[in-house]
Amino acid sequence: AAPAGDGKEEEATRLWAACHSTPWDFDTWMALIPFLERGGEPMRPKLKEAYEEFLVEFPLCYGYWDKLAKFEKAGEGGVEEALKV
């Protein structure tokens, strides 16, 4: 586990706030999603939420539907959840 106070939670919170205040700004999402992808297991719940919210705003971004399906397949939901995507 990452040590407390490493700044990752604070940075994730800052990036989320930016995405929520300007959800139409693609570049803001492209700052948040890769940050969460690099965050490992502690960021998994937030990453799923980010994929889902991003796809509401940008539903034609096929690559992120694919990432969400692979994320679901690798997680607790397995193939069944991946197929729902």
Side-chain angles (χ1 to χ4, degrees):
D6 66 359
K8 288 183 180 178
E9 285 292 328
E10 292 82 5
E11 181 66 5
T13 299
R14 185 188 69 74
L15 291 168
W16 266 115
C19 288
H20 287 148
S21 67
T22 57
W24 60 87
D25 184 357
F26 185 84
D27 292 335
T28 304
W29 287 103
M30 290 301 100
L32 174 66
I33 291 174
F35 177 81
L36 295 175
E37 288 173 337
R38 292 187 305 270
E41 192 62 33
M43 296 292 178
R44 280 187 65 80
K46 292 178 182 178
L47 179 58
K48 179 181 179 178
E49 185 179 349
Y51 284 149
E52 290 173 344
E53 289 189 30
F54 171 80
L55 288 165
V56 167
E57 292 296 326
F58 301 97
L60 300 180
C61 289
Y62 170 80
Y64 284 89
W65 287 106
D66 187 53
K67 283 184 176 211
L68 178 57
K70 288 176 181 174
F71 176 89
E72 291 288 8
K73 184 178 178 186
E76 295 175 11
V79 174
E80 186 174 315
E81 286 301 311
L83 291 172
K84 290 179 184 178
V85 172

